Amino acid sequence: MGEQPIYTTRAHVFQIDPTTKKNWVPASKQAVTVSYFYDSTRNSYRIISVDGSKVIINSTITPNMTFTKTSQKFGQWADSRANTVFGLGFASEQQLTKFAEKFQEVKEAAKLARDKSQEKVETLSNHSQESGRETPTTNQASSINGTDDEKISHVGPEAALLQTENERLKSAVEQSNTNAKKWETELQTLRENNARLVDALQESSANVESWKKQLSACKEESDTLREKIAELEAQCNEANQEKQKNAQLTVRVKELEAELQDKEQELENLRKQAEIIPQLMAECESITTKLQAAETKNKELEGRIEGLQLDIDDSRQKQGNMKGELKKFMDILDGKIDELHEFRQGLSKLGVDN
């Protein structure tokens, strides 16, 4: 089956500076893919990350590894075989938490795989020791029963099978001894790497404290900058208000300039009119003389009108008297007409009676 990816995420990859062991060195210019791989043939787990054609993380996970969260979006672990410390910067706290949980799961799985391997080696070792103890008994029995040739001829296939099994167990014991030496060497290497990891973690803790101080200083500086930004924004608002006032004043100045031009035009017109004032004064005097003559004639006409008004009043009085006499005449005429009407009615009655 080979290696298969079991979990994939994206993060910014860092490595500890090999010279100072304090500062982080970016291993990728941008966020890259970071994956957990499981090798079924070797029963091992690895973290692999590739940036283009460059492998920036190739870390085999062992039960002794520990993934540490140093901030809300950053975590790290030490790889003794690679002799370095890897750091991952995530876009969110949820991604960091998921990666840490998966690291713990893979670590537990690696621990179980190691325990099973040790149990298998111990079983093989015990089995080989038991086979070693049984071998002299067989030899003793053969010496009692006769020579080896006699034993082979007497026992036959069973002795050959036991000899083959013995050889196989010897090979397994030698292999287990070789593996034990190899594991002792790896254990010593792991202890040394663990000691370096402890030193690196202590340095990382010191770096964390330093980063916390730097973060506090950055926060204070950020607060100061925010206050300055607020002041600058207030100044910008004042400047914008001043610009608005200046724009209004500019418009008002243009309006006043237009009004001034209109006033200058009116003044020029008045100056032109002032040039004809003497002519107008002469015409005014002439008109005044004519007006005086007209007023004299008006007075004469008013006298005539008063005489005519008296004549009109007399005519109205005479007309009133005539109306009174006419009314009396009309009353008399109405009475005569009524009498004549009664007379005709009387004649009509007489004609009817006849």
Side-chain angles (χ1 to χ4, degrees), residues 68 190 236 242 244:
T68 305
L190 289 174
C236 289
E242 292 295 332
Q244 292 177 358

Side-chain angles (χ1 to χ4, degrees), residues 335-348:
K336 295 295 185 181
I337 290 171
D338 292 335
E339 290 176 359
L340 181 60
H341 183 67
E342 291 176 356
F343 180 73
R344 287 181 65 182
Q345 289 179 351
L347 289 175
S348 297

Side-chain angles (χ1 to χ4, degrees), residues 237-298:
N237 292 331
E238 293 178 357
N240 292 330
Q241 292 177 359
E242 292 295 332
K243 287 181 181 179
Q244 292 177 358
K245 290 181 180 178
N246 291 333
Q248 294 175 357
L249 291 174
T250 302
V251 174
R252 182 57 181 166
V253 168
K254 290 181 180 179
E255 293 176 354
L256 292 175
E257 289 178 351
E259 291 179 0
L260 181 60
Q261 289 179 357
D262 295 338
K263 296 296 182 183
E264 288 178 352
Q265 186 66 34
E266 290 179 1
L267 182 61
E268 185 66 23
N269 295 332
L270 290 174
R271 286 176 181 175
K272 291 180 180 179
Q273 292 176 3
E275 293 177 356
I276 62 174
I277 287 177
Q279 182 180 356
L280 294 174
M281 291 295 291
E283 292 179 358
C284 183
E285 291 178 356
S286 175
I287 292 171
T288 303
T289 304
K290 291 179 181 179
L291 183 61
Q292 290 176 354
E295 287 179 353
T296 304
K297 288 182 181 180
N298 191 20

